[in-house]
Amino acid sequence: MTADIARRHTQQRQVVLEELRKLTSHPTAAELYEIVRRRLPNISLATVYRNLEFLTKMNVIQKLETSGSKARFDGDVSSHYHVRCTRCGRVDDIHGLPADLVGGEVSNFTSYEILGHRLEFVGICPECGRRQEEDDVTNVS
Amino acid sequence: MTADIARRHTQQRQVVLEELRKLTSHPTAAELYEIVRRRLPNISLATVYRNLEFLTKMNVIQKLETSGSKARFDGDVSSHYHVRCTRCGRVDDIHGLPADLVGGEVSNFTSYEILGHRLEFVGICPECGRRQEEDDVTNVS
DNA sequence: ATCTATGCAAAGCTTTTGCAATCGT
DNA sequence: ACGATTGCAAAAGCTTTGCATAGAT
């Protein structure tokens, strides 16, 4: 059932995929490039972009383009939602939440043929929340 | 309750707002620029961007940045969801759907402090759907 | 041998910014 | 008069693309 991952099985494509799968941080192309570079110092950013696009089309990874100016990538293609921190931009998975959170009643309110939806939560990550509290204490004057 | 729209009440800002409010098409900055240009031929794209940003901050309009590479703008700030056509990129409002479609149960599944969510539906707009059917007929060979 | 994939550099596209001039108050 | 706003052009930031070379099957 797994899509065949590559027409040409190159080291670059393999390493891009492996490193992405090691991460739960949903990196941008540039972030992943820096990581992959530790194993393949001569790889180019363009190759990372091309492989990320290719793997997305093959449905081996997924591209998260809900908001923000940079696309982020997720090595986990199972359907799940994400939270984005409004302070630091970090993106995390939300596990356990039903993937069909948004019902089919939508079709009654539009003339579009609904194929799906994109949902992303926004909030403050624990780290930024903690930093906030520290600042609050520090700023008492 | 309306935020005061402008510190300086310029013609450019006024026309940008008026033209945006006439549209239900959620134009991009460049699209709106072309429209505004019909009334103010010398306006610059930068001014359109600056005013869209300003009006967004004033909460007079809203910026839709759910997906796609270009931001789109909505002269209607009431909270409502949108559908995006995967074929032509067009974005329409969905009216009548409860704005709190996505429940608060989310907090049980993440350590983030949840502030809100971005939800956008994707599908095929009536026009593209019709075009599809025509093509299907045409392509019978 | 063939044809995809890569690296590099350049280009593309959307958005932002520096600056001097202009306009609103 | 003062300072926000404008127009222009340049810059910035992310992503894509052309092209010759290298590499996979």
Side-chain angles (χ1 to χ4, degrees):
Chain A
M1 207 54 240
T2 304
D4 70 326
I5 290 179
R7 303 213 197 191
R8 294 288 165 89
H9 187 236
T10 64
Q11 207 181 164
Q12 287 90 335
R13 185 166 294 166
Q14 182 64 36
V15 174
V16 165
L17 179 56
E18 281 178 15
E19 294 301 322
L20 178 59
R21 282 184 169 161
K22 281 186 196 167
L23 300 170
T24 58
S25 64
H26 312 88
T28 63
E31 285 164 0
L32 189 57
Y33 169 62
E34 288 305 328
I35 290 166
V36 167
R37 227 137 90 93
R38 302 207 275 260
R39 286 176 62 188
L40 301 176
N42 295 318
I43 196 173
S44 78
L45 179 55
T47 296
V48 172
Y49 270 104
R50 279 188 282 231
N51 279 314
L52 287 171
E53 192 198 327
F54 177 86
L55 292 167
T56 299
K57 283 219 176 84
M58 290 290 131
N59 205 39
V60 173
I61 66 174
Q62 61 174 315
K63 187 176 185 178
L64 313 177
E65 36 189 349
T66 20
S67 72
S69 56
K70 313 174 209 179
R72 288 173 174 273
F73 296 86
D74 191 340
D76 176 1
V77 286
S78 73
S79 115
H80 59 280
Y81 296 116
H82 297 97
V83 221
R84 184 180 302 254
C85 179
T86 53
R87 296 267 171 77
C88 68
R90 175 188 175 124
V91 173
D92 277 289
D93 290 325
I94 296 188
H95 288 116
L97 201 62
D100 58 347
L101 193 64
V102 179
E105 57 195 304
V106 185
S107 298
N108 302 327
F109 298 95
T110 177
S111 52
Y112 276 56
E113 176 195 345
I114 298 295
L115 299 175
H117 65 270
R118 292 189 221 278
L119 171 60
E120 164 184 284
F121 295 91
V122 298
I124 311 284
C125 75
E127 197 181 332
C128 285
R130 213 177 302 122
R131 191 174 303 125
Q132 178 64 45
E133 284 170 24
E134 287 163 15
D135 289 354
D136 287 351
V137 172
T138 307
N139 290 336
V140 171
S141 54
Chain B
M1 207 58 235
T2 305
D4 70 327
I5 290 178
R7 302 212 198 195
R8 292 288 166 89
H9 187 237
T10 63
Q11 209 181 163
Q12 288 90 335
R13 185 166 292 166
Q14 182 64 35
V15 174
V16 165
L17 178 57
E18 281 177 15
E19 293 301 322
L20 179 59
R21 281 184 170 161
K22 281 186 195 165
L23 299 170
T24 57
S25 65
H26 312 88
T28 63
E31 286 164 0
L32 190 57
Y33 168 62
E34 287 305 329
I35 290 164
V36 167
R37 227 137 89 95
R38 302 208 275 260
R39 287 177 60 188
L40 301 176
N42 294 320
I43 196 173
S44 79
L45 180 55
T47 296
V48 173
Y49 270 104
R50 280 188 284 232
N51 278 315
L52 287 171
E53 192 198 327
F54 176 87
L55 293 167
T56 299
K57 282 217 176 85
M58 291 289 130
N59 205 37
V60 172
I61 65 175
Q62 62 175 313
K63 188 175 183 176
L64 313 178
E65 33 192 348
T66 22
S67 72
S69 57
K70 312 176 208 177
R72 289 174 173 272
F73 295 85
D74 190 340
D76 176 2
V77 287
S78 73
S79 117
H80 59 280
Y81 295 116
H82 296 97
V83 222
R84 185 179 303 254
C85 178
T86 54
R87 295 266 171 78
C88 67
R90 173 188 177 126
V91 173
D92 277 289
D93 289 325
I94 297 188
H95 288 115
L97 200 61
D100 58 347
L101 191 65
V102 179
E105 58 195 304
V106 186
S107 298
N108 303 326
F109 298 95
T110 176
S111 52
Y112 276 57
E113 176 194 345
I114 297 295
L115 298 176
H117 65 269
R118 294 190 220 276
L119 171 60
E120 165 184 283
F121 294 91
V122 298
I124 311 283
C125 75
E127 198 181 332
C128 285
R130 211 176 303 122
R131 192 173 304 124
Q132 177 64 45
E133 285 169 23
E134 286 164 15
D135 288 355
D136 287 352
V137 172
T138 307
N139 290 336
V140 172
S141 56

